[in-house]
Amino acid sequence: MSPPRLDGKAAIVTGAASGIGEAIARAFAGEGARVCIADVDVAGAERVARDLGAGAVAQAMDVSDESSVEQGVTRAVERLGGVDVLVSNAGLQHLDPIAEVSFADWRRILGVHLDGGFLTARACLRRMIAQQRGGALILMGSVHAKEASVEKGPYVAAKHGLLGLTRVLAKEGAPHGVRANLICPGFVRTPLVERQIPQIARERGLSEAAVVRDVMLGTTVDGEFTTVADVAAVALFLAAFASNALTGQSIVVSHGWHMQ
Ligand code: NAD
């Protein structure tokens, strides 16, 4: 039997009380990592940590707030004995054409995705540099880091921004053995997507089945959703990769939506 791929590693996963982040936290714990479940949803984070048992901890964290991230990462590092892997995954969606997006919604979406990516990556990179044992920064992008869709202006802008941030992190992390990569999933049927289906159906006068088939999966190769397990497998691969050979990349996992 091969040894656990993240044995002895400490990982912080943001937005890990639900969906993709939760699946990543579970996959990491299954491969021997000590995992911090960081989320604004404290009850949800505690539920996942309890389920994972010894070695997992829950941490309240609002990734869009500097002091919350600083305190949360400090506390996680104390409890896990360092940080070797960050998955900056917390996210939200907002649907509105640009002409109708309020400045408050624009800032809220950029705050969680782009400020959150910066604040969590900066806090963990600082610790990784001080620890002198390298590390992996994994940011959660989207096919929308490379493509646009109507009514997703703030989200698309934020995800494109994360692509640039990842590339800079790869260059600045390399001298310290810190790799940075972006995962770009297609549609995954999490609460974030479930909420969009009735809204898009209503606004475009479509059935919910048509939204799924045509709007969400119409450009995949096989009409299938990407799963949380698919994304967790990519995160695990990136977290466990051994050298700087794989850094600064953005990996699309989407059933063929957006081939690059
Ligand atoms: P989800 O709604 O299931 O989970 C998102 C989690 O983020 C929740 O637990 C929520 O409480 C947490 N969160 C929200 N704001 C936060 C904040 N300010 N601070 C800390 N935690 C916060 O959604 P998901 O689909 O699992 O999305 C996870 C990530 O994957 C997001 O970055 C999203 O943009 C990205 N993504 C999702 C899809 C998809 O189709 N579901 C596709 C591409 C990318």
Side-chain angles (χ1 to χ4, degrees):
M1 209 173 78
S2 48
R5 289 157 71 190
L6 296 180
D7 205 18
K9 302 286 187 196
I12 298 174
V13 185
T14 72
S18 174
I20 292 171
E22 177 177 349
I24 291 172
R26 290 182 184 278
F28 282 12
E31 290 290 338
R34 301 183 304 287
V35 187
C36 172
I37 316 296
D39 210 295
V40 274
D41 173 3
V42 180
E46 284 169 351
R47 173 186 57 81
V48 176
R50 238 186 347 264
D51 214 32
L52 292 177
V57 298
Q59 177 61 52
M61 188 187 292
D62 177 352
V63 299
S64 66
D65 181 274
E66 183 176 21
S67 62
S68 177
V69 171
E70 286 299 318
Q71 284 167 23
V73 169
T74 299
R75 185 83 185 100
V77 164
E78 281 166 10
R79 293 157 84 196
L80 300 179
V83 58
D84 301 291
V85 182
L86 164 72
V87 184
S88 182
N89 163 81
L92 295 175
Q93 183 56 281
H94 177 83
L95 301 182
D96 252 335
I98 298 266
E100 285 163 34
V101 174
S102 70
F103 190 41
D105 282 331
W106 169 267
R107 293 180 76 160
R108 186 169 58 86
I109 298 298
L110 266 75
V112 173
H113 291 280
L114 203 46
D115 296 354
F118 161 67
L119 290 170
T120 54
R122 184 184 67 173
C124 291
L125 177 61
R126 285 175 174 164
R127 268 66 172 200
M128 288 170 181
I129 291 171
Q131 288 168 182
Q132 298 188 320
R133 59 179 200 235
L137 302 170
I138 300 169
L139 284 78
M140 194 54 65
S142 163
V143 169
H144 285 117
K146 294 158 182 282
E147 284 242 358
S149 291
V150 294
E151 298 186 348
K152 293 187 174 173
Y155 185 86
V156 169
K159 293 298 190 187
H160 276 67
L162 288 176
L163 179 60
L165 175 64
T166 302
R167 289 170 169 167
V168 177
L169 287 168
K171 292 195 174 194
E172 294 182 0
H176 309 283
V178 176
R179 295 169 291 106
N181 291 289
L182 187 74
I183 304 178
C184 298
F187 281 97
V188 183
R189 205 151 186 172
T190 64
L192 180 142
V193 161
E194 292 292 355
R195 283 190 288 271
Q196 294 173 49
I197 297 171
Q199 187 179 348
I200 295 173
R202 226 176 16 253
E203 286 172 3
R204 302 195 195 171
L206 297 170
S207 68
E208 295 194 7
V211 170
V212 168
R213 188 187 61 237
D214 302 332
V215 179
M216 295 186 163
L217 304 178
T219 50
T220 63
V221 293
D222 53 10
E224 292 204 16
F225 276 105
T226 300
T227 66
V228 294
D230 295 324
V231 183
V234 175
L236 186 56
F237 174 74
L238 290 172
F241 201 82
S243 79
N244 273 350
L246 184 53
T247 195
Q249 303 306 312
S250 49
I251 300 183
V252 176
V253 48
S254 66
H255 284 259
W257 172 30
H258 188 86
M259 297 190 188
Q260 48 181 6

